[in-house]
Each structure stands twice: as structure tokens, then as C-alpha cells.
Amino acid sequence: MNTTDVLFAGFGGHGMLLAGKLLAQAAVNRGLQVSWLPAYGAEMRGGTANVTVCMSGSRVASPYIEHPASLVVMNTPSLLKYGPKVKKGGLIVINTTLAREPWTREDCPVLSLPAGDMAREVGAWKSTNLVLLGAWAGYTGVLSRDAIVETIEEQFSMKHAVMNANVAAFDTGFRQGATARPAPGMANEVDSRTLDRGNAHLDHRTAR
Amino acid sequence: MNTTDVLFAGFGGHGMLLAGKLLAQAAVNRGLQVSWLPAYGAEMRGGTANVTVCMSGSRVASPYIEHPASLVVMNTPSLLKYGPKVKKGGLIVINTTLAREPWTREDCPVLSLPAGDMAREVGAWKSTNLVLLGAWAGYTGVLSRDAIVETIEEQFSMKHAVMNANVAAFDTGFRQGATARPAPGMANEVDSRTLDRGNAHLDHRTAR
Amino acid sequence: MTRVLMKGNEAIAEAAIRAGCLHFFGYPITPQNEIPEYFSRRLPQVGGEYVQTESEVATSNMIFGAAGVGVRVMTSSSSPGISLMSEGISYLAGADLPVVIVNMMRAGPGLAGILPSQSDYAHATRGTAHGDFELTVLAPSSVQEAVDLTILSFQIAERYRVPVMLLGDGMIGQMMEPVEFPELEVGPPLAADDWALTGCRGREPRLVSSLYLDPVELNDKNYERYRRYALIRDKETRFDTYNCDGPYDVLLTAFGVMARVCMSAIDELAKEGIRVGLFRPITLNPFPEDACRSAIARAKRVLDVEMNMGQMLVDIRLAARGSHDIDFIGKCGGLTPSVEDVVERVRVHLAAIRAEER
Amino acid sequence: MTRVLMKGNEAIAEAAIRAGCLHFFGYPITPQNEIPEYFSRRLPQVGGEYVQTESEVATSNMIFGAAGVGVRVMTSSSSPGISLMSEGISYLAGADLPVVIVNMMRAGPGLAGILPSQSDYAHATRGTAHGDFELTVLAPSSVQEAVDLTILSFQIAERYRVPVMLLGDGMIGQMMEPVEFPELEVGPPLAADDWALTGCRGREPRLVSSLYLDPVELNDKNYERYRRYALIRDKETRFDTYNCDGPYDVLLTAFGVMARVCMSAIDELAKEGIRVGLFRPITLNPFPEDACRSAIARAKRVLDVEMNMGQMLVDIRLAARGSHDIDFIGKCGGLTPSVEDVVERVRVHLAAIRAEER
Amino acid sequence: MPAIRVAGDKCKGCELCCVACPQKIIALSDEINTQGFRYARVVDAPRCIGCGLCAISCPDLAIEVYAEGTVYQFYSYH
Amino acid sequence: MPAIRVAGDKCKGCELCCVACPQKIIALSDEINTQGFRYARVVDAPRCIGCGLCAISCPDLAIEVYAEGTVYQFYSYH
Amino acid sequence: MQKIFSHPCSMIEDPLHYCPGCTHGIIHRLVAESIDELGIRERAVGVSSVGCSVCTYKYFRCDMFQASHGRAPAVATGAKRCRPELILFCYQGDGDLAAIGTSEIIHAANRGEKITCIFANNAVYGMTGGQMAPTTIPGQRTSTTPAGRRVSQDGFPLPMAEMLASLRTPGYVARVSMHAPSEIIRAKEIVRRAFLHQVEDRCFSFVECLSTCPTNWGLSPAESLKWIEREMLPYYPLGELKVPDGKTGDEDEHN
Amino acid sequence: MQKIFSHPCSMIEDPLHYCPGCTHGIIHRLVAESIDELGIRERAVGVSSVGCSVCTYKYFRCDMFQASHGRAPAVATGAKRCRPELILFCYQGDGDLAAIGTSEIIHAANRGEKITCIFANNAVYGMTGGQMAPTTIPGQRTSTTPAGRRVSQDGFPLPMAEMLASLRTPGYVARVSMHAPSEIIRAKEIVRRAFLHQVEDRCFSFVECLSTCPTNWGLSPAESLKWIEREMLPYYPLGELKVPDGKTGDEDEHN
Ligand SMILES: Cc1ncc(C[n+]2csc(CCOP(=O)(O)OP(=O)(O)O)c2C)c(N)n1
Ligand SMILES: Cc1ncc(C[n+]2csc(CCOP(=O)(O)OP(=O)(O)O)c2C)c(N)n1
Ligand code: SF4
Ligand code: SF4
Ligand code: SF4
Ligand code: SF4
Ligand code: SF4
Ligand code: SF4
Ligand SMILES: [Mg+2]
Ligand SMILES: [Mg+2]
């Protein structure tokens, strides 16, 4: 597997750091090299909370990524700030529940989903972050569903309710991502993405 | 006038720093370049108190002198420490009231005088330092009697008793120095001394 | 050995515990708070002692006391806190006490900001405080290396009886990466039999002090200490290179996480068949001057990349001995030179080299 | 103008008063106590304010407050006290406040001793504290020069809004020499109209701060400050040479009083017709690198003489750019290289040169 | 009749005003303001006695108090 | 009969023992010791009551106190 | 309609950055109101410290310093000694003032510097993520006392106001709390008095303000007020602990 | 003949370097005697500070630290926390403890470190040549108060013992004086008690000892004792200011 990376961006309390951590842990569990680099804010309350996760089959060189290969955003400010930074052809996953204003980039596949509403629908009010992670995972296929779900189960083994809500949220996102044909731009130009979607020896997934 | 220097050495309270300062001030009053560099002890009570005075008609380069051209010592410890350091042919003035043990250096003129007793004799108990300064000045002629006495008068103008005692002490030392033929070594080998004894334009002295 | 995903700060604390450091004294400061917090949780479990100090000034003197009674001890802080330890570090060096100090650098000067930075290179490697002494300084570029160098720090500190600093940019503290811990579990007891203050039962009283009233003694002591520094230079100097086996036109120099940014840039350029080398000092002090000089000698151009205003430049220039002018990319205040910044600048140099060749 | 015989410490204090510095904050420490003591006597006479502080940490922050309200202010200390000011100095630099700090160096590291030393060169010129900033550092070699450089320190501090350090070895503080004071009497008021905190009557509130929450702003601020440093380098770099007009085989490099020891050695050797040159930086930072390089270029051998373990060597080596190996005489702990030490070592070099020539 | 005005966009929904109000007439709205917080509003305006305790307790200076005619003060604040 | 012994070379002639002695039997000698100080000595030994106040007051630990047989202590020190 | 309560002039109108329910904002307002009422905004110079209130300088509409951690009283001393006509006030948290800055506040008080120190004691290092402060309450869990502060290990809460009150140098020392409107009203008067002592060139003045940190206490803002009352008051009794000789503010007005 | 008073074993026999009549020597002896009597020399570790007593380490026959200026209590804390079986004592002057080291002593006391601090208060910076200390008496001339300490400028003498006694953490705080044999006898008992509190693992202990500096006071040693009595006692009342709950030393013996 080549190196790839994803930036999770939102506000403090949105759980983007956690989403990134679950992904990173799943990748570690699958034997990958990983870095999880948060951009911690100034010594101030509130504000942005982002994390860049890099994954590689061999070695993560720079954990600091100016132009991420994919972006998962929770809200409008994060989208406006990081949307333009994504690499040409990189995936952008947007939570339209909070980022309602229309936004697009012609040169990137954009996967918009009402993750907040979807979370509520599956009874997982607080798991919007997991819906987004699921969508990203389903679309990119960098890690299998099982890899991430196992990690969620492992991390929340002490809190069953949270675990179940998180898995449900992840799954609803995953399904959306796996089947989506994101608009606009190069939805079908899969090759232009830097992600290697079907790395079987890493992913052990049974079905996409 | 060439550069010359003298090290005054004793213990704290012996007034060697003051003797040096009077000399330095006299030299400044006569238009010389001067440095007065004390060797302050460690942050401790008591102990040694020495000062090196350098005088020059042109410019004092190093104020720090490892091997002084002349030495004026108050007591035995200072003599033992600094006696051996004096330049070959340099003058050594010793207060035999405190430095009683016989001590000599073959290659230097040594001027021994019971400065403590002499001070007491002229009623200047506390002015042993001035007796020694006088002896050094009388012998070397680097500065005239008047140059130094004027300085003493100037510095102690507010304390007449001290002033008078100091002048008396200085004078008794000066007389001794001016007439002495110090033993052993090169008492008469005046030329071997680095001091320039009779620099008239600096000294304004009437008689030696 | 299992790989655990861990924050750099926590990994450092755990590594210290594995190395047998059961005493930690510290004062909170971002971005290293996970270190004291981790210790405050873990040390009671392993029979150790966590003390939250009233200030960094007190901290540096508490570790003086702790090391003086012969226990393995650590503190950590970040830039302004480390400045406050300056006097204390001078005392530690002057009393030949082995301690490990972590500095997770943030942006300066003054309060400035808490974002990652490398701007304490000069303070760490030169003129940390008054007096003649040196701090041995190690700079990790990954969480795993932070673990390894933490353990090495204790070894160097104790072997040579010197204070050692682990210098990380804030990133390395906040970043999570998978790490493996060596199975030291608890390190061997510190060998302090002949100098530590443990009560004078059955022996002459001992003294832990930096005071020397006799200048000759102090001069000698300083020379003795510098002989130990020379030993460290001989035996402990460490560096890393990347892509320096083959020929290269441009050499990058960087330390800590910035070196990994440079590696990405090198990989990027390698795709186009452009060969660029990287020299990364691991010991910032002693600086691997000879190795750096050899790496420079083979390059046409040298580009130093730092998250500061060019503090390591002094050492690169000393290594170069005038053979090359050293170009520099520096961002500070929490900004980070990016892969793109480096790639772009390398291209400028390559163009210039080609122009020269023509 | 009359020549007054004065201790260096007192002359510095008087010079500051003549330059219009009527506010002094300080904490006692040998060998600079004559400075606060002099101020404590004199300032009440001239309507100024002497404050004895509770520590050097407090001192550095009090002068921050004093300079921040736009008055000319000074402090002085000696090595360990200066280390304690490290954080404060970083804040002063970060907030662009003009202050003058005197360091009468004593032997280190730690408590070490109170005898004269030059072992804070590195702390003063590089890495005084955390963060990217520089301290302008001036080193007098005579009491008269101490007076002149004190006045210059205030001028530089105010012209460029930077903290300036006057770096003396303990000797220069304790030594008496005749001095003349320029008739400034009271300097012009500090030009702080556009930044000092004087109460916001009739204008917008102002801020004196080193905090920049936005990294881009902080980065820009640092670059702006370094542009000022570059200006200082261009306009204020000062040095002195001795005996460098004619040809010479050996060049001596030294600063402060050590340079005068070297001059005596040069005079000594001159008696035998041996020509030796001396390069003395007056601004230690910015270091007069170009001038030093030219002086070195004309020598066969270079000998650096310091009262430390070789701290200025870094700058001499940078100036030499590898053209010469730099030999070194260093004594520390209160010991002073003597005229004889220098003469002897020069003879060794001359012999070697002669041997090479054969 | 006294009244208060809550600057909805400064409010952080901490409810300290609700706790402080002796008339218990302040509650959080279900709406979210620009800062992302549910904000305070008066639910039973006619019962406001203009005591200002809400304003005094607001850490975000989000409340102003208005009164008509004579105001009786039961404590001295200003 | 009680007695004290002054270590002449440790004495700095501060006279604190003289002040402390209730019998006023200590005075400085005219001799000078190796440290350069006039040192304390007992001028009227038979009157010493062995109270030890001199020793207790000596900052230089220069005084030892001796006694024969039973010693009555008027205060507790040790 | 007449506006009978609104924003003080000495504070800007922008939103504060504090967490919801954090009473730093109330203390700010008390300071600003006092400045307004005494009409000293144009000669007031504030010194913000390092803690959550690091940005205080943004909120006050007067000249401001941003000082290093713990040293605000030293900065204020330097400024006041050089320009006695200015009104200097410090705003410090408990980590800042009661830990790293212990020495500076004590000596400023003991020299009798004519400055006013406002001390926001929230029993925790708020800004750095809720570590134990010297003022933390026994048993209180913080990020560095996972099992609660143990008195045997860390001692009792440091009583800054009592310590300062024990000094012989005249000064004004009081402790107030933000946990109820009645206390805020009382606090208001005391903060004003503190400034008044400086305006009338009388003495050093110090007001310790018990304040909340809902975020790091893990409590709601309303619970936090109760927590002050229940947990902090036993260790931090309120009132005027010290008044300068013969001058205790408008004594008639409040007990 | 029986020797009923002599040199304590825990002190070496060499002459001390203090000025004639300087009572640092007496305080040293009290410490050494206490160590002797409690039989703790072989587990005692002293911390000498920076001041005239910087060389204290030369005089005590036990393991010693030489600490940086003001930080002896921090050094002792570090040592004691790591080896609780040791008996740690600091010996500090008033410049050291009451100026630069204010914070360290207060926090050591407040955390309840089980260490013993001996504080020699001579109202002046002795070693550096007699500058004003925070403990200098109003009107006292020093090399930095040529016109005498002015209260309006420099405040009143800092009452360290009172300040430490105001802390809630249990501890033993006392003030004694060297100005008369009777006081020395009393001091002896109090210093012993201070050590005992540590030996019995009870609490922090602190003894402020009023001491002379004939050299910098410009008085004879005998005059210096009177000066303590006349000038210092009004500001520094003697006695046990604080005793740990339920344990006040041998209460029966001395009130
Ligand atoms: C020298 C130094 N040490 C540590 C810090 C880190 N630091 C920033 S704020 C803070 C504590 C803040 O707590 P407090 O003063 O109680 O204020 P609060 O946030 O609780 O209002 C600390 C330790 C720093 N900035 N500088
Ligand atoms: C950091 C630092 N600042 C200042 C000094 C200088 N200094 C040495 S001793 C001393 C004061 C000593 O006074 P005190 O503690 O009262 O002891 P005393 O000599 O009076 O017994 C000072 C300020 C120092 N060594 N280190
Ligand atoms: S003014 Fe008084 S009654 Fe009216 S809303 Fe506010 S607290 Fe309630
Ligand atoms: S107190 Fe203020 S911020 Fe809190 S809910 Fe009420 S209006 Fe909003
Ligand atoms: S033991 Fe008592 S009586 Fe005897 S000399 Fe000493 S003080 Fe005087
Ligand atoms: S008290 Fe001691 S030092 Fe002083 S005079 Fe008596 S014996 Fe000598
Ligand atoms: S962290 Fe605590 S002190 Fe800081 S703003 Fe939030 S609630 Fe207030
Ligand atoms: S200077 Fe003072 S404190 Fe120091 S030894 Fe002399 S008398 Fe004692
Ligand atoms: Mg707080
Ligand atoms: Mg003292």
C-alpha cells in the first residue's frame, strides 16, 4: 500500500480527533505504519480541532501534510478553510447537516451526506463523526469495514451502548460511501485518486 | 614615562586597596594613564586583599599583571604568595612588623622596614599602609612626594586628623625609601629596575 | 513486542518508566502536559513519586535534589519553562548530576504561542545558561525514536554524569504513532555508589555542589568536565542520512520532524528521478560535524530546513567550513515548512546548478 | 571635561544616569554590587527611582513594566542572576522593549565562584533563552569604554527597540581607571510616543505583548524583528584592531579585558621585532564577521584567548570559514590567561611557521 | 414595566441567568445562535421585576436591563 | 571546681562570652592568636560556676566547660 | 425606557472566549465597571497574565500589558514606579499567582506597591487542561491528581489572601466569590474599593475572586456555582481580611 | 574533671570563616547538637544555601548539598521525596529565603514537605556586602538604603514565620533569637523539636533564628546583640507560632 492521508476537521467536541484515532488504530491493527497528528489550537477555549492521519504499508515520512489526499469535514468553517487545500483529485467528505451552504470543487470528488441527520436516524445522536468516517472508509476502501468496526468494538468494549451507536453510525456512513458516486467532478475517475482502493492483503474485506 | 606597575598585598582591613587608590589618584592628578585592579576574594569573610596599580605616560595595556614590577606587602602570607612572582629585578617592599620571618630573593632589591612600628612612632596607628606606600614612592621616585601628599590631603580633606596621620606616615616611609639601599641583591643596580626613577615632567619634585 | 498507538508525550513518559525512572517533578505547560499527567497516573502504580512543582525554577532544583540522592529522575517542560530552568541546569551541570530534561518546543520568543516550533535549538545546544558547560541534546523525529532516545538519554546522563535534554518540537509530543517498548521493564539501579548523598553511615560525608572557592580547582574541574564532553562527542554522536548512498546535487539538512518533511520532499522528487540527500543530526549537541561535512562535501548545494529563523545554520556552516553557502527555509511561530516548500526550493537550486553547468 | 578615577561598576551607573536613565531595578550579586549601590545613592538626588527587587526573575519583569511605560531603564547582574532573567529577556525581545542589561560575568557553571570570567559569551550571544531572537551585546575593555558603550547601549536599544546587553568580565567592574563623561547630562526623552503605555487619553488603547495567537502573524513579526537585527548588523557592528596595519604572522583574537592582556603580549613581542596583530570585537553580537575574516586572512596562524573554555571560538571559526584552524588559550574559574601565557604560545606558533617555511 | 434584552449572539447558554432570576422567567431557546449555543430568552416577560440579577450573573455580558420611571433598588450595585 | 577551656586559636575575640558570663570573669588577652585576634581567657578562674553560658554564647565553638562531681543545672540545654 | 444595566464602557463589546458559564467574564465586568465608575479608564494600565485570562488585554478598553507567567505584579511594579500617575491593575489566575508567581505577589504586597491585583481563583489550571493548582481543594480530581488532591502529598489549599493579610505593610486584602448574585454585588463593591485605595494613593490592594471552571471541573455552570459554595468556601472564607489603617472603604455602606 | 560542654560531633573542629561575633556559628552549633542528640547524623543530609553560610557544608559532618540561591527547600524536597528515610535540613539566610527563595519555602511548607528549615535572619544581605533585605528594619542603613529603609518605599520587614504560620497545612513554625544566652537555650530546644517533627515523620518544620551581622551593621558583636533586642524583636516576636495538631513538642517543658 502506498502512503495516503486524510484530514479530519471540525470544532472541539465534534469528535474528529477520535474519528482519526479510530482509523489510525485500525490501521495499526492491520499492520500499517501510521501517524496521527492533531493541529492543536492556541491555548484558548473552543476553536478548531483537526487531525491528519497518514497510513502507509512501508513508512510514513512527513506526518505534516499541507495538501491532504482526502478531507472529512464536519462544518462550514472547516470546509472553507481546508476544502481548497485538498490535493487535486482528492476526496472531500462533507457533513451537510452542519455545512449547509453549497460548496464545490471541480477537480475533486465530493461526497456530501447529512451525517448528523443520519446519525440521529440510527439513534446515535453523538456519532456524526463515525458516520463521516464510515463514508470515507466505504468510499476509499483504504481499510475494510471489519478492520474499523473491530477497532471500534475494542476501544468501546467497556461502554456497550456507545459502541453499538458508533458501529451503527459507522455502518450507515460506510454504506453510503461504498455506493456513492460523488458529485461533481471526477466521481468515476477513480484512477485519479491517490488512494489504492482494493489492497486485499491489507484489508481482508469480504465485500466492498 | 614607560608603563610600570605595583602590587599592594595584604589582608582585608590592612588598607592596601586604599594605598593603591591613593597612588592611582595621584598618578591621575599628574596626567598619567592608570589602572587599579583589585583581586577580590571569593564571597567570603576576611582573606587576602590585593590591588595592582599600573601607571603609564601613554596607555595601560593589560591591567592584569602576573609578574609585577614591584610589590608592597603587609604580612607574611602575602609575601610568601606574591614575593616569588615579582619580575626579576623588581622592587619588594616588606612590612617587617607583620612579616617577621626572614625572607629574601637574590634577584630583587628588597626594602624591609618595620612599617607598623614606624606608623605607631609618628602617632599614626592605622596608617601602616601609608608608610609602605611612602617607602615605595621614596625609593622608586615614580611619583613625587608632593604628588601623593596632595592627593592624600585632597582625599581626606574632611577628616583632618586622619589626613595628618596619613601624611606623617607617608613621609616617614618616604624618607626611609628615598635613602634606603635595600638588601640584598641589586641595591645599587638601579638600572636593572624597570622603574624610571626621575621623570621630571611628571614628578615636579624638588629633591629626591 | 506489541505495537501500541501512543502520543509522543505519553510514549516518552512510559519509556522513562521502563528505563527505571520512577521520579518525576514538573509544572504544567502546553504542549507537554500529557507527560506529567501520564506520570501522575502511572507512578503511583509502580511505586514511584510524582510531584507537581510550584514553578520551573523549583523543578530544576528539585531534580537537583533528587539526582543528588542518587535516583533516576526526569522533568519535562516547554520553551518558556525551560528558560526558567536555565540557572538550575547550570547548577546541575556544575554538580555533575545525571538528569533527563524534556523540552517540547513551542513558538517563541516570550509567550508567543503554543504551536510547534524548533526555536530552542540555540538555547539547548549553546549558551543554555551562564558558565562553561554543555548540555547533551537528542532530537527524535518519530514517536518510536522518542522512546529510544529517552532510554538513551538516561544511559548517557548516567554514564557521563551530565544533564541530557530530549528536544522535541511540539508535534512529536502531540502526534500518535505505533511504538514498541523494549522489555527493560525497570532499568538497573543507578550507579551512584560513590557520589550520591544517601546518609554517611559507615563512610565519610559527601558533598554535591557546584561551588569551587579555589579558581585553580574550578578551572581543573571545568577541564575535567570538558574531557567527559569530548568522550561523549567520540562515543555518542549520532546522525541519520536518507538517500545519501548514491550521488546527489542537493543536500537537505534538518532535525526532528522537519527531517521527515524533507524525506517526503525527497520521495516526491525521486519520482522525477531527481536525487536529493538528507542529513539529520540525532545528537544536536555534540553535533555530528564530521559526518555533516562529508555529506556536504558531496553536494553542490545545501539547503537547511527548520521551524525557526535558522538556528542550526551555525552548526551546518561550521561543518561546511566555508565550502558551501547554506541556503535556508525557515518558518516559525507555529508555521511549518511544507513538502511543497522544500520541493520548490530544491527545484530553484537544480535550475541554478543546470544554469551554472551550461 | 575632567578625568575621574572610578570603578567600572560605578562609571557604568553614572554613564547611565548621564544618558538619562533614571530608573534602576536590581538584585544584589557580586561582582556588580557597586552598580545598584551607586544608583541607590544617586537616583534620589536626580529625581529617579531605585528599586531593590526580590529576585532576578522579578527584575527582568519589572524592567519589562518600566520600559513598557516608555521610560529609560537599566538593570545589572552577574552570571547566575542573568540566567534567571532568561525567560524575561525573551519576553523583552518578544515585546520589542528597549532596555539595557549589564552582566558583570563571574565564573560558572552553577554557583562556581565570584572571580572574573568571560564564560557567558555563549549565553549572551546565542540562545539566551527560548525562541527566535537576538540580544545585542557590547563588550568594553576599559572603564572609559564601559562608559561609552553604556551610552551607546541605550542608543541602540531605543533606536531599534531591542534589549541590549553590556557584557563585562568581573574585572572591568572592579577596576578603577580615569574616565571622562560626555556632557549629555540628561539624555533626551525616550521616543516612545507611538507605543508606550501612558494611559489611553485621547487615543486608542495600546498593548505591550509578546503573544501572537495567529502563527502567520507571529512568523511575520519574527521576520520583521530579524530585519531590525539585520539593520543593527549593518549599522552598529563595531570592532577594534591593534597592530594590524603592517604584516603579521600571528593574529590574536580576544574580547573585553583579555584583549588588553593580548596588547601587552603584542608590545612585549614587538620589542623583539615580532609583529602580532589583534582583532577585538566590540559588538559580540552582531559579531563583526567580515572584519574578522579579513584580519584572519592576513595571518598564518590565529590564536584566540579567552577567560572561558572557548566560547567565542564559534564566531572566529565561522569567520575563518575553514581557512585556518584556530588555536586557543582558555582559563576559567577565575583564572586569567597572562601576558606570559600568550607570549609563550605565540612563540610556539612562530617556531612552527618557521619550521614550515624551511 | 421593566424588561431585559439578551444579546442572543453573545449568549453561551450557560443558564446562570436562569438560576439567578428570582422570577424564574428565563430559559434557553431551542434555537442555536451563531456561536452554536442555545441562548437565553425571557419566557414570561410581564413578570420581570427589573432586578438585574440575571445581568449581574451573566459571564458574557449578554444581558441589558431596561426600566421605565422610578426604579426601586433593593441592593446597591452601581 | 568547674572550669572552662578556651581554644585560643579558634577564638576571634568577639567578647560575646565576656558579655554572657554572669561572673564577669572572662576578658580578652593582649596577645594575638594565629588568626590575628586578641583571644578570650578567664581572669578569675576560681569564681567560675560552670554555668556554661560563655560556651553557649560563643559563635566559634572555642569554649569547653569542665566540672567535677555533681553539676547543678539551672536550665536545660542538652 | 431607561437602560439600567449594560455593558461597561471599559470593556469592548465582542464576545469573550471563555467557556460557557466561566465566571472569568463576571470578574472582568466588575473590574471594568469599577474603572468606569472611578473615571480612570484613560490612566488605567492593565496587566494580563498567563492562564485562560491571557487575552484579557483584548477585552479591556485601556492600555494593557501581557506579562509572563506569574510575574504580572512585577510588571505592574516596574510600570507604577516609573509612572505613578497611572493606575495599574493585574488580572491573574491561581496557577499564575499562587504557584509560579507566589514570590512576586508577596513582595509587591510587602513593598506596598500601589497597584491593584485581581486574583481569579478557580482551584485549577484552566488553560493547560485542568491540572492541580496550589489552590485545588482536598479530594478534588484534576488531570494530575487522578485520585483527588491528597493533603498528605500536596498539602492544603494555599490561602493567598490570608498570607498577604499577615503582612505588616498596610494593604487592602479581600476575598469575594462569584457563586451567587448577592456575592457578585458584594464583590463589585470590594473591587471598586480596591481600585479606590490606589486612586487615593493609599496602598496595595488585592481581591481574591472565587471563580468557576466548569470545563475542568466537569460540572455544569450552575453546578459549578454550588461547588464553589460547598467545596471552596470552607477553605476560602469571604470578606475583607485586611484594611489599611483608618481607612476601610465606605465602612458605613457595607458592614 | 568531666567535660560538660563541648563541640558537637556533627560539626568539624576547624575554625569557622564567619566574622568575629557573627552568630551564624551559634545557629550551626544548635543544629549540630540537635543532630547529635537525635542520633541522626548518618541519615542527615543538609542543604546549604547562598549567603555567608554558603560553606556550611564544610562544617557539618554529614552529607551535604550546596543549593542555588533561594532554592534549598526545593532541593530538599527533591531529595526527601526520593529517599524519605533521610533527614533533610536547609540552612538559609534572609536574602536567600525571604527574597529570592520566597516561593520555594512557602510551597515546601504548604505541601507539608517533611524537611526542616533553619532560617538565619540577620536583616541584611551579609555576603554581598550589606544590602537591604526584605527583613531589614525600618530606618536601618544598608549599602542600598543609604538613608535607611523607608517603609513608604520598601515596606515593612517581611514576617516569614508569620506568613508560614498562616498556612493551613500542619507544620511547626517558630522564631528564636541569638541575642542572649537564655534565648540560645530556648532556641536549642526549639531547633531540636523542629528536627524531631521530621524524625517522627510528622510535618514540615521551620525555625527562624534572629542572628547578627556585626560587619554590615557596623556594630561590635556585643552591640549587635543589643541591636537584635532593641530593633528586631519589635518586628520579630519570638516563640512557637504554629505547632502541628495535637503535637507541640514536649509541651510541659517549655510553655
Ligand atoms: C513559564 C511558564 N510555565 C508554564 C506555562 C503554562 N501555563 C499557561 S497557563 C498556566 C496555568 C493557568 O492557570 P491559572 O493561572 O489558574 O489560570 P486559569 O486558566 O485557571 O484561569 C500554565 C501553567 C507558561 N505559559 N509559562
Ligand atoms: C541568583 C543569584 N542571585 C544573587 C546572588 C548573590 N548573592 C549571594 S549571597 C546573597 C545574599 C545573602 O544574604 P543572606 O541570604 O541574607 O545571607 P547572609 O549572608 O546574610 O547570611 C546574594 C544576593 C547569587 N549568588 N545568585
Ligand atoms: S431583571 Fe430580574 S426578574 Fe427580570 S429577568 Fe432579570 S433576573 Fe429575572
Ligand atoms: S447568563 Fe448570559 S451567557 Fe449564560 S445563558 Fe444567560 S444570557 Fe446566556
Ligand atoms: S562557665 Fe559560667 S561562670 Fe564560668 S566562665 Fe563560663 S560563663 Fe563564666
Ligand atoms: S565568644 Fe568565643 S570567639 Fe568570642 S571572644 Fe569568647 S571565646 Fe572568643
Ligand atoms: S477552561 Fe475553565 S477557566 Fe478556562 S475559560 Fe474554560 S471554564 Fe474558564
Ligand atoms: S558578613 Fe555578617 S553574616 Fe556574614 S559572616 Fe560577617 S557578620 Fe556574619
Ligand atoms: Mg486557575
Ligand atoms: Mg542575611
Side-chain angles (χ1 to χ4, degrees), chain C residues 140-152:
Chain C
S141 70
S142 70
V143 176
Q144 182 64 54
E145 198 177 28
V147 165
D148 300 340
L149 294 185
T150 298
I151 294 166
L152 180 63

Side-chain angles (χ1 to χ4, degrees), chain C residues 27-30 32-34 36-38 40-42 44 48-57 81 84 106 110-112 114, chain G residues 49-50 54 66-67 69 71 95-96 98-102 125 127-134 142-146 150 153-154:
Chain C
Y27 186 81
I29 186 167
T30 310
Q32 61 79 58
N33 287 316
E34 294 84 358
E37 287 168 1
Y38 190 89
S40 78
R41 285 195 303 275
R42 279 278 280 141
E49 186 86 8
Y50 164 82
V51 179
Q52 188 162 315
T53 71
E54 64 268 34
S55 74
E56 292 87 352
V57 171
L84 279 173
R106 53 190 250 181
L111 186 54
I114 56 162
Chain G
S49 60
V50 186
V54 69
Q66 198 297 310
H69 192 34
R71 322 301 177 190
D96 193 88
I100 196 169
T102 313
Y125 289 4
M127 183 190 241
T128 45
Q131 293 83 5
M132 177 183 68
T142 70
S143 65
T144 52
T145 53
R150 279 182 303 155
Q153 192 81 6
D154 307 310

